[in-house]
Amino acid sequence: MPETPVAAPASRTVVHHVRVEFGDCDPARIVWFPNYFRWIDAASQHFFTTCGVPPWHELEKTTGILGTPLVDTQARFVKTASYGDLLQIEARVSAWRRSSFTQSYRVLRAQPDGTGAPDLIMECEEVRIFAAHRDGDDRAIRAVPIPESIRALCT
Amino acid sequence: MPETPVAAPASRTVVHHVRVEFGDCDPARIVWFPNYFRWIDAASQHFFTTCGVPPWHELEKTTGILGTPLVDTQARFVKTASYGDLLQIEARVSAWRRSSFTQSYRVLRAQPDGTGAPDLIMECEEVRIFAAHRDGDDRAIRAVPIPESIRALCT
Amino acid sequence: MPETPVAAPASRTVVHHVRVEFGDCDPARIVWFPNYFRWIDAASQHFFTTCGVPPWHELEKTTGILGTPLVDTQARFVKTASYGDLLQIEARVSAWRRSSFTQSYRVLRAQPDGTGAPDLIMECEEVRIFAAHRDGDDRAIRAVPIPESIRALCT
Amino acid sequence: MPETPVAAPASRTVVHHVRVEFGDCDPARIVWFPNYFRWIDAASQHFFTTCGVPPWHELEKTTGILGTPLVDTQARFVKTASYGDLLQIEARVSAWRRSSFTQSYRVLRAQPDGTGAPDLIMECEEVRIFAAHRDGDDRAIRAVPIPESIRALCT
């Protein structure tokens, strides 16, 4: 990513809530890790819809944008979670570039008694792009410049 | 990870094969990225069983080891894949430490005509531990020193 | 299932809420059907915990019960759903037998404007058992008689 | 389904192979049942591609057909499976109607020593349609008459 990031000092944070289900856990009785990425992807989309960005299928009609596929992700798993746990996923955009952006997440679990600081379960930092289909190939994608209107809604 | 890694110069590589299914793809018609982590987790386990490490439920009886949960992961998505694609996932252990190890993966797609270099779809580097349950809590885990016998089988 | 069912005329209904995510949908842009079974399994568990049944890992310590695996399922898909839709899953136990029970579900979607009858998306009827591990085999299960205390909580 | 089914006496059977992974299993250490539907959906598609039906994205260009969504499913779970198990899924079309068809599956597990009859793990019978998007709504679908060419390939 050679593009120069623009700092997002007062970046807006949107919280997405997840309840861990029995089927999200593996034979070691803890969350099977690919499920964290499922939830983070949902948190990413909720971030945009909460900020007022139209859902992708509406955006596609006016801009060709299909979604925000992942270019790069880094995640650190701090504590385990198991079924019955209620998780909060904080999502924000920590940097905007011309055609890519960095989205950052913290997955937290409130203490069962509701007091004290929540546990940090995992954190994740992603680079994503806004993507459209390539001409003539509806199963390949290309990055498009990030619309100024979307950026304005999200900051 | 303050532990000093031990280089694994001639590290053994095991290939895991995956066929991308319709349901693995999202409305943009490309693989929905959490599925890559599902396949990489399978490739991780196939690495160990191919090397001769017993399945976790057998290992648990003798060593208490439940699996190899993730501590940290970094992934880079290079090209998209879609349904019908046949992927090869190369897995190896690139570093061993006292109680953690680094596992590295490359996800490749052969050219449809079978000639030429395969496409690199994504690559991933993980830190994992060997884990057992904590005393008295069957939903929490702790790292255990990596058994020398396992390390010998895998290099 | 040769056991004689006991009618549950005033059966308790518990509603579980689901938001359909982008990644729950396939290239036809509708929910990929295995996800309905994921949500129905969560609705099944919420039914029991809402009724006051302890989570399975607590129940296991006192009764050996591990969960309520499926014996039989029938589902009818009436309308499609897509991402952004908010679904309500009504769950109830429609029949209790000695060691199995029937759980029934309706998946509904409220009208976007909040008025009128909700759309029926799918409905499902399952036979489940309460299960414990077989002696000496922690990967095989057997049915156990349904504890009277659980039945009392759920009706 | 008021349509009169046409018997398919010598119906073609295609076998799809699946290896059960650690992450496919739940805290009871058995396959979490929604995964069976994931595999059955893959077996359904492999049936068609093995019979020579083009993949859906090619078929869409010529016929508008997007896939074969489910109308109705019935499944019976006979034995449990766990990670490391190798499953064979037999798929066939057991009845064709004008705009819907019945697809039947048996999920089998070979004996570990390779001798004797395989274990029946589950069986499933589905009604599916061939579907295209509704005019002007790319997130809703409608049934289309089953092309004679597809039916000829599959019997």
Side-chain angles (χ1 to χ4, degrees), chain D:
Chain D
M1 284 296 121
E3 302 178 53
T4 310
V6 174
S11 59
R12 187 170 174 179
T13 298
V14 171
V15 179
H16 174 54
H17 295 268
V18 167
R19 182 191 175 92
V20 181
E21 304 295 347
F22 184 79
D24 296 327
C25 299
D26 65 22
R29 303 194 172 205
I30 59 175
V31 172
W32 189 49
F33 83 86
N35 289 312
Y36 287 107
F37 292 105
R38 187 158 64 77
W39 300 327
I40 277 175
D41 195 55
S44 174
Q45 323 248 341
H46 287 194
F47 175 85
F48 288 110
T49 53
T50 303
C51 289
V53 177
W56 306 145
H57 63 279
E58 288 185 20
L59 212 55
E60 188 180 2
K61 287 172 196 159
T62 52
T63 66
I65 288 171
L66 291 163
T68 51
L70 207 53
V71 171
D72 198 285
T73 190
Q74 294 192 32
R76 193 167 67 92
F77 298 85
V78 181
K79 282 182 180 256
T80 59
S82 190
Y83 57 98
D85 286 349
L86 298 169
L87 305 180
Q88 295 167 275
I89 306 183
E90 296 176 355
R92 65 195 177 90
V93 172
S94 47
W96 292 98
R97 287 169 296 269
R98 201 186 71 87
S99 62
S100 71
F101 60 99
T102 302
Q103 205 163 12
S104 303
Y105 309 86
R106 293 201 314 153
V107 180
L108 303 167
R109 176 180 53 206
Q111 301 300 337
D113 62 3
T115 65
D119 286 327
L120 177 62
I121 301 299
M122 66 95 81
E123 42 189 9
C124 181
E125 196 171 278
E126 300 174 332
V127 176
R128 290 181 179 248
I129 55 167
F130 280 84
H133 276 312
R134 285 214 192 124
D135 292 342
D137 185 349
D138 64 2
R139 299 199 305 157
I141 58 169
R142 61 184 170 83
V144 296
I146 298 176
E148 185 51 45
S149 59
I150 289 181
R151 192 162 150 171
L153 284 168
C154 299
T155 41

Side-chain angles (χ1 to χ4, degrees), chain C residues 23-84:
Chain C
D24 296 326
C25 300
D26 66 21
R29 304 194 171 204
I30 59 174
V31 171
W32 188 49
F33 82 86
N35 288 314
Y36 286 108
F37 292 104
R38 187 158 65 76
W39 299 326
I40 276 176
D41 195 55
S44 174
Q45 322 250 343
H46 287 195
F47 175 84
F48 288 110
T49 52
T50 303
C51 289
V53 177
W56 306 143
H57 63 278
E58 287 184 20
L59 211 57
E60 188 181 1
K61 287 172 194 156
T62 52
T63 65
I65 288 170
L66 292 163
T68 52
L70 207 53
V71 172
D72 201 284
T73 191
Q74 294 192 33
R76 192 167 69 91
F77 297 85
V78 181
K79 282 183 180 257
T80 60
S82 190
Y83 58 99

Side-chain angles (χ1 to χ4, degrees), chain A residues 2-83:
Chain A
E3 302 178 54
T4 310
V6 174
S11 58
R12 186 169 176 179
T13 297
V14 172
V15 179
H16 175 54
H17 296 268
V18 168
R19 183 189 175 92
V20 181
E21 304 295 347
F22 184 78
D24 296 327
C25 298
D26 65 22
R29 303 193 172 207
I30 58 175
V31 172
W32 188 49
F33 83 87
N35 288 314
Y36 286 107
F37 291 105
R38 187 158 65 76
W39 299 327
I40 277 176
D41 195 55
S44 173
Q45 322 249 343
H46 287 195
F47 175 85
F48 288 110
T49 51
T50 303
C51 288
V53 177
W56 306 144
H57 62 279
E58 288 184 20
L59 211 56
E60 188 180 1
K61 287 171 195 158
T62 51
T63 66
I65 288 170
L66 292 164
T68 52
L70 206 53
V71 172
D72 199 285
T73 189
Q74 295 192 31
R76 192 166 69 90
F77 298 85
V78 180
K79 283 183 180 257
T80 59
S82 191
Y83 58 98

Side-chain angles (χ1 to χ4, degrees), chain C residues 21-148:
Chain C
E21 303 295 346
F22 183 79
D24 296 326
C25 300
D26 66 21
R29 304 194 171 204
I30 59 174
V31 171
W32 188 49
F33 82 86
N35 288 314
Y36 286 108
F37 292 104
R38 187 158 65 76
W39 299 326
I40 276 176
D41 195 55
S44 174
Q45 322 250 343
H46 287 195
F47 175 84
F48 288 110
T49 52
T50 303
C51 289
V53 177
W56 306 143
H57 63 278
E58 287 184 20
L59 211 57
E60 188 181 1
K61 287 172 194 156
T62 52
T63 65
I65 288 170
L66 292 163
T68 52
L70 207 53
V71 172
D72 201 284
T73 191
Q74 294 192 33
R76 192 167 69 91
F77 297 85
V78 181
K79 282 183 180 257
T80 60
S82 190
Y83 58 99
D85 285 350
L86 298 169
L87 306 180
Q88 294 166 275
I89 305 182
E90 297 176 352
R92 65 194 177 93
V93 172
S94 47
W96 292 99
R97 288 168 296 268
R98 202 185 70 87
S99 61
S100 71
F101 61 99
T102 302
Q103 207 164 10
S104 303
Y105 309 88
R106 293 204 313 155
V107 180
L108 303 166
R109 178 182 50 208
Q111 301 299 339
D113 62 2
T115 66
D119 286 327
L120 177 62
I121 302 297
M122 66 95 81
E123 45 190 5
C124 179
E125 195 172 279
E126 300 175 331
V127 176
R128 290 180 178 249
I129 56 167
F130 280 84
H133 277 312
R134 285 213 191 123
D135 292 342
D137 186 347
D138 64 3
R139 298 200 305 159
I141 57 168
R142 61 185 170 81
V144 296
I146 298 175
E148 185 50 45

